[in-house]
Amino acid sequence: MHVHFVIHEEFEAPGAYLDWVIKKGYSVSMTKIYEYNTLPASAEHIDLLIVLGGPQDPITTVKECPYFNAQKEKELILKCINANKAVIGVCLGAQLIAEALCNAFSHSPEQEIGVFPILLTEIGRQHSKFKHFGDTLDVGHWHNDMPGLTPDAKVIATSAGCPRQIIEYTNLVYGFQCHLEFTPEVIELLILNESKVLQENAHKPYVQTPQEMKAFDYTTMNWALFTFLDKLVEEYQQLSTASKHMTLL
């Protein structure tokens, strides 16, 4: 199993996603966009693509951010989807998946920064990959946009501030507007690098203080993420094995 990360900023680190990869003993590679790394040319050696968040949005231009090329990232996402690879987008990554599939993202009704509960929809509560979340789960947030929906997309979870927190685009493709990967280390990086954002938005109802975020125990959300990832990999491997078998017939 090979996992490839697309990382937009050093402070938008993979956190618990990388902890899971290491724990499982999977091979890993990374495109660090902020270091002007080149994206993979194909999906051939990727089993799971994880596109992380960032302060950019899907319509940020190369002129505005020289190391971020939304079109190139969307092309890689589509290559992986068309090759039946597993794909996860987090925050900006979720929005890029939606843009790649249906040219749609939008602003969230509320900006959310901190730890707030998501609410599982009826589909989410019955879903084999998500029912362990329970009816609600406290998760991380750091956003003011949200991904668009394809005609076949399923909303798995919402929140008081955002109606699209987790989206299933296919049984192998998921958008997470929320951040289950947050760890104390990632939170420290975000607070350090996004202090201006916190100061400017401190008055908003879904924006917590640095002290509140630092005091939270992220273990439960991380383990919920690990279980989802295990289930996603299991389905991906079953489908890959079935596809290889059909090819041999």
Side-chain angles (χ1 to χ4, degrees):
M1 190 75 186
H2 184 78
V3 181
H4 185 82
F5 288 98
V6 176
I7 306 174
H8 297 104
E9 302 288 352
E10 187 173 15
F11 56 86
E12 292 265 5
Y17 282 106
L18 183 57
D19 293 342
W20 170 79
V21 171
I22 293 170
K23 178 176 177 286
K24 303 301 285 190
Y26 298 146
S27 60
V28 62
S29 55
M30 301 179 182
T31 300
K32 296 180 179 180
I33 299 295
Y34 59 93
E35 292 185 354
Y36 291 86
N37 291 174
T38 302
L39 290 163
S42 75
E44 182 180 359
H45 302 296
I46 298 172
D47 293 301
L48 169 58
L49 175 69
I50 302 178
V51 185
L52 295 173
Q56 304 85 358
D57 61 42
I59 58 173
T60 298
T61 66
V62 175
K63 185 176 181 179
E64 292 169 322
C65 183
Y67 51 84
F68 174 67
N69 189 319
Q71 184 58 38
K72 293 293 185 183
E73 292 196 34
K74 289 187 288 184
E75 289 172 4
L76 175 61
I77 288 168
L78 282 178
K79 287 175 184 177
C80 288
I81 291 174
N82 291 335
N84 296 315
K85 309 294 186 173
V87 180
I88 295 172
V90 181
C91 202
L92 171 60
Q95 297 153 26
L96 286 167
I97 289 175
E99 281 285 298
L101 291 173
C102 62
N103 295 313
F105 89 101
S106 59
H107 293 303
S108 173
E110 297 283 352
Q111 186 169 26
E112 294 175 300
I113 298 177
V115 180
F116 301 100
I118 53 172
L119 295 82
L120 277 287
T121 63
E122 181 61 27
I123 292 173
R125 290 193 295 271
Q126 300 299 322
H127 199 295
S128 61
K129 295 191 189 80
F130 293 100
K131 59 185 179 182
H132 66 283
F133 280 32
D135 291 344
T136 68
L137 180 68
D138 289 335
V139 302
H141 305 270
W142 206 291
H143 74 99
N144 51 29
D145 292 326
M146 62 181 182
L149 301 177
T150 63
D152 297 325
K154 298 174 183 176
V155 178
I156 301 297
T158 68
S159 71
C162 178
R164 300 173 191 168
Q165 285 289 353
I166 302 176
I167 308 297
E168 178 182 80
Y169 291 101
T170 76
N171 59 333
L172 294 178
V173 181
Y174 293 88
F176 284 76
Q177 186 56 57
C178 51
H179 294 266
L180 281 81
E181 81 280 6
F182 279 177
T183 63
E185 294 77 16
V186 173
I187 284 295
E188 289 282 356
L189 283 172
L190 281 163
I191 290 171
L192 178 64
N193 287 275
E194 296 278 76
S195 58
K196 184 178 179 182
V197 172
L198 288 172
Q199 291 169 5
E200 291 176 346
N201 296 283
H203 63 285
K204 294 182 178 178
Y206 298 106
V207 176
Q208 290 181 333
T209 66
Q211 292 74 22
E212 287 175 305
M213 288 184 269
K214 289 180 181 181
F216 189 79
D217 183 351
Y218 294 88
T219 306
T220 298
M221 77 171 72
N222 292 165
W223 279 106
L225 175 64
F226 295 161
T227 301
F228 161 78
L229 291 169
D230 287 343
K231 291 179 177 182
L232 177 63
V233 167
E234 181 181 9
E235 182 162 8
Y236 169 74
Q237 291 177 330
Q238 289 174 349
L239 291 171
S240 296
T241 299
S243 177
K244 290 175 183 176
H245 179 69
M246 291 298 295
T247 302
L248 292 172
L249 292 179

